[in-house]
Amino acid sequence: MKNWLEKQFRLSEFNTDIKTELLAGLTTFVTMAYVLATIPNILAGAGYDKHTTLTVMILLIIVTSCAMALFTNRPFALAPGLGSVGIIASMITNEGVSMPIAAGVIFWSGVLFIIISFFGLREAVVRVIPVSLKQSVSAGIGLLIGRYQMMQAFHGRVLISHVNEQIERILELSGIEKHIRIEKEETR
């Protein structure tokens, strides 16, 4: 087994070992495990069965991540993106599009992504995007996940203390029904 792993993944060539790679894989799993809770809940709001979505998603993650490792020798874990999930949920709930049509849109966007990647256009686009914009997208995804989880936890109501104008504006823009409690600081 150890010889097969060395031959398949060229561990010594990359100055690593099985223990390091297993730890890295566990770290990657823990980092992206939020999708196991977030995505089935989002799609359940669009009419998909939560348990079926979770099962299919786990199988999809296993198959695609193993394929990435075996065929490209790249340490990438693959999972559905929140953008695609958001598009499907929005198309079904807001636009009245059927589930098969929404899934087809995502499928064809994936095919287009592969074609763009094959011809090197994706890398050219990524090089043009400023670092600050790339970082803000990451922050935006975190805020999206946080907003969704707050809406789930508080049934659309949020309790906040020490409200200022910026927080009121953010709540107004996010569409969260707000119940605000302002704690007055005692002056001494």
Side-chain angles (χ1 to χ4, degrees), residues 45-90:
Y48 285 88
D49 179 66
K50 187 187 297 189
H51 304 296
T52 304
T53 303
L54 178 62
T55 303
V56 169
M57 194 173 64
I58 289 171
L59 293 172
L60 179 74
I61 290 169
I62 291 169
V63 169
T64 56
S65 297
C66 288
M68 178 64 83
L70 293 171
F71 295 116
T72 69
N73 196 21
R74 302 272 188 228
F76 300 143
L78 303 176
L82 285 176
S84 300
V85 172
I87 290 169
I88 284 182
S90 175

Side-chain angles (χ1 to χ4, degrees), residues 93-114:
T93 57
N94 298 336
E95 306 298 328
V97 175
S98 69
M99 288 182 190
I101 297 294
V105 168
I106 298 303
F107 171 78
W108 286 111
S109 72
V111 170
L112 181 63
F113 181 78
I114 290 170

Side-chain angles (χ1 to χ4, degrees), residues 8-170:
Q8 177 68 31
F9 300 111
R10 304 186 320 261
L11 299 175
S12 58
E13 181 181 328
F14 292 109
N15 198 25
T16 187
D17 58 18
I18 296 169
K19 180 182 174 187
T20 302
E21 293 303 310
L22 288 174
L23 184 59
L26 178 64
T27 304
T28 301
F29 172 76
V30 170
T31 302
M32 62 183 276
Y34 71 91
V35 300
L36 298 175
T38 306
I39 291 176
N41 285 329
I42 292 172
L43 290 178
Y48 285 88
D49 179 66
K50 187 187 297 189
H51 304 296
T52 304
T53 303
L54 178 62
T55 303
V56 169
M57 194 173 64
I58 289 171
L59 293 172
L60 179 74
I61 290 169
I62 291 169
V63 169
T64 56
S65 297
C66 288
M68 178 64 83
L70 293 171
F71 295 116
T72 69
N73 196 21
R74 302 272 188 228
F76 300 143
L78 303 176
L82 285 176
S84 300
V85 172
I87 290 169
I88 284 182
S90 175
M91 288 174 71
I92 292 170
T93 57
N94 298 336
E95 306 298 328
V97 175
S98 69
M99 288 182 190
I101 297 294
V105 168
I106 298 303
F107 171 78
W108 286 111
S109 72
V111 170
L112 181 63
F113 181 78
I114 290 170
I115 292 169
I116 288 171
S117 296
F118 181 76
F119 288 109
L121 186 59
R122 185 188 69 82
E123 285 187 30
V125 170
V126 168
R127 275 188 251 119
V128 174
I129 298 172
V131 173
S132 59
L133 184 58
K134 292 175 190 174
Q135 292 170 341
S136 65
V137 167
S138 297
I141 290 170
L143 289 171
L144 174 71
I145 294 167
R147 176 187 181 270
Y148 180 78
Q149 294 302 331
M150 281 178 39
M151 299 259 318
Q152 291 293 311
F154 299 109
H155 307 288
R157 298 183 191 126
V158 181
L159 182 65
I160 300 175
S161 62
H162 303 295
V163 175
N164 62 28
E165 291 175 19
Q166 287 84 7
I167 292 176
E168 281 189 18
R169 182 70 180 137
I170 290 170

